Amino acid sequence: MHFTRSRDLVVAAVLGLAVVYVLFEAAYGDLPQLPLLAGVTFAVLAIAEAGLALSIRSRIKSGRVHGDAVGIARAVALAKASSLAGAFLGGGWIAAFLYVFPRRDELVAAVSDSKSAVVGAVSSALLVAAGLWLEHCCRTPPEDRRTTTG
């Protein structure tokens, strides 16, 4: 498995932006109002992943990971999935904002939907950052290159 590349995140964000914008163009009038705290779930996940990253980083630095390679690999998979999901849905929240913000004067729902989109976009950005940091914390530290004489 490769570590997450920035181009993967950009592609996910552009796909999310395109899909949600087309959805809003086609059916915004039929959609229910976006809850203000809809995107907060990603912020909660970001906090949990940041805590996991701190724990893994301290275990790696102290050398206490010898029997937990599978757990570290799972954390890397979680980090990669989280950063990609955050990028995709971040693009979606940005698309929602781009659609509803110019319509605030015309539609009453667009005012609260704009706020919801900002909360969702910020939470998605936090999840991407936490996922990338978790992934970084799971990297194997460089070997000590010093030679010992005995």
Side-chain angles (χ1 to χ4, degrees), residues 104-131:
R104 289 175 304 137
D105 295 334
E106 305 164 16
L107 304 170
V108 175
V111 175
S112 66
D113 286 349
S114 296
K115 294 174 188 173
S116 300
V118 169
V119 169
V122 169
S123 296
S124 296
L126 289 174
L127 184 61
V128 170

Side-chain angles (χ1 to χ4, degrees), residues 66-111:
H66 297 293
D68 197 23
V70 173
I72 301 293
R74 287 180 180 157
V76 171
L78 171 67
K80 187 171 184 86
S82 295
S83 60
L84 289 171
F88 181 83
L89 288 173
W93 284 112
I94 290 169
F97 182 78
L98 292 175
Y99 184 83
V100 298
F101 189 75
R103 292 166 176 81
R104 289 175 304 137
D105 295 334
E106 305 164 16
L107 304 170
V108 175
V111 175

